[in-house]
Amino acid sequence: AVLERYGITDVEAQLVCDPWSVHLASPEDERLTFHPTTSKPQRLVQTFLYQRMHGSFEDKEDNHYAHPIDITPVVDLNSQTCLRIDGMDRPPPKIPTASVNYHRNLFHTNSYLETVWRTDTLRQLDVVQPDGPSFEVTGNEVEWQGWTFRVGFNYREGLVLHNLKYRNRKVVHRASLVEMAVPYGDPHPPFQRKCAFDVGDYGLGYCANSLELGCDCLGHIHYFDATLSDAAGEPVEKKKVICMHEEDAGLLWKH
């Protein structure tokens, strides 16, 4: 379809598929939830398409989101088949060709963003605590300034705080980010179908990165690792998914 419609010949190098959950946006979507003959459930994913145009295709450095393609295959992950391709009935628009890149190797290709690194960089800023932090950590329990709580982590919500107390008085039993819904609001097909439930659809814990000192965290850091399970139920350890540090933001209020 992309060869005939857009002239993309090297699908492996130039075509990018961004899989998203299908939220049953139409009656056609609902009819796809079960196989028409076997009645077996189908795991639907819609794959938004983009084209790589700049830099080395092998290194995959190009910001492909700047080059959207207007058709959307809907696939069944169970049978690994393409059920339909939305948008084939529309005339193909011209794919934007402007380079909009943030990777250091592709700055020089940018059409309207900066083409070189900034030279007016900030001077060195050190966050130091010569006496160490004021918190204490025992296993996953944290004590700080009269507060105590336990740190948890799971594949769905990511960070979870348990049994928060102040001077042994219970304040919160369990605190987490239950859901994060992101309606992108682009009315142009096929992107009107974009709506992410980041916790329920994908799992904040699965999306967590391993954090690094000086890049993600500053000062005296205590890291927490997490153990999740993979698709086969095997344990997978994720290092440094939580970093904890003290930060002085000044007075909360004054008069």
Side-chain angles (χ1 to χ4, degrees):
V2 292
L3 172 60
E4 300 170 358
R5 194 172 173 89
Y6 304 107
I8 299 176
T9 55
D10 192 343
V11 173
E12 291 293 328
Q14 292 181 266
L15 189 67
V16 180
C17 298
D18 189 7
W20 286 55
S21 294
V22 176
H23 290 149
L24 306 184
S26 67
E28 289 76 15
D29 293 334
E30 293 190 32
R31 284 193 284 270
L32 293 178
T33 55
F34 292 93
H35 193 276
T37 56
T38 66
S39 297
K40 290 183 177 180
Q42 302 187 127
R43 295 174 61 199
L44 303 181
V45 164
Q46 53 189 346
T47 56
F48 295 100
L49 303 182
Y50 304 87
Q51 184 180 1
R52 291 193 188 96
M53 291 187 176
H54 303 281
S56 168
F57 294 146
E58 290 75 18
D59 294 334
K60 301 178 181 179
E61 297 168 345
D62 185 34
N63 174 24
H64 52 264
Y65 290 109
H67 320 296
I69 296 174
D70 73 315
I71 58 175
T72 308
V74 179
V75 302
D76 172 24
L77 297 183
N78 287 340
S79 62
Q80 299 183 13
T81 57
C82 180
L83 304 180
R84 73 166 192 254
I85 301 179
D86 291 341
M88 293 295 292
D89 55 332
R90 294 189 295 266
K94 180 177 173 56
I95 300 177
T97 59
S99 176
V100 186
N101 275 288
Y102 305 93
H103 195 285
R104 65 183 68 197
N105 294 342
L106 295 178
F107 266 16
H108 67 281
T109 70
N110 277 335
S111 300
Y112 54 86
L113 296 181
E114 296 290 340
T115 57
V116 295
W117 280 104
R118 292 180 59 172
T119 56
D120 57 335
T121 55
L122 297 175
R123 295 173 181 173
Q124 181 173 333
L125 173 64
D126 294 323
V127 179
V128 295
Q129 292 176 281
D131 299 325
S134 300
F135 58 75
E136 294 184 6
V137 181
T138 305
N140 69 336
E141 185 179 47
V142 178
E143 297 182 41
W144 180 80
Q145 295 287 293
W147 290 90
T148 59
F149 57 89
R150 290 187 178 274
V151 177
F153 193 92
N154 62 58
Y155 81 95
R156 181 182 173 91
E157 300 154 294
L159 173 64
V160 181
L161 301 181
H162 298 272
N163 203 23
L164 279 84
K165 296 181 180 179
Y166 182 69
R167 300 193 186 280
N168 210 35
R169 185 183 64 172
K170 198 157 190 175
V171 178
V172 176
H173 177 66
R174 187 181 191 275
S176 69
L177 182 61
V178 176
E179 188 54 88
M180 183 166 65
V182 186
Y184 279 67
D186 188 337
H188 302 94
F191 303 107
Q192 85 282 2
R193 297 173 58 92
K194 269 192 168 185
C195 181
F197 289 88
D198 287 339
V199 176
D201 286 344
Y202 309 108
L204 298 185
Y206 280 146
C207 296
N209 297 315
S210 293
L211 305 171
E212 295 293 337
L213 184 64
C215 177
D216 306 289
C217 314
L218 294 175
H220 190 107
I221 304 300
H222 183 90
Y223 292 100
F224 294 90
D225 301 333
T227 302
L228 305 177
S229 60
D230 62 15
E234 297 297 326
V236 176
E237 187 173 15
K238 301 194 78 168
K239 293 287 188 181
K240 299 181 178 179
V241 292
I242 302 171
C243 71
M244 181 177 67
H245 65 101
E246 291 176 297
E247 185 173 316
D248 185 357
L251 294 174
L252 292 177
W253 59 271
K254 65 179 182 177
H255 61 83

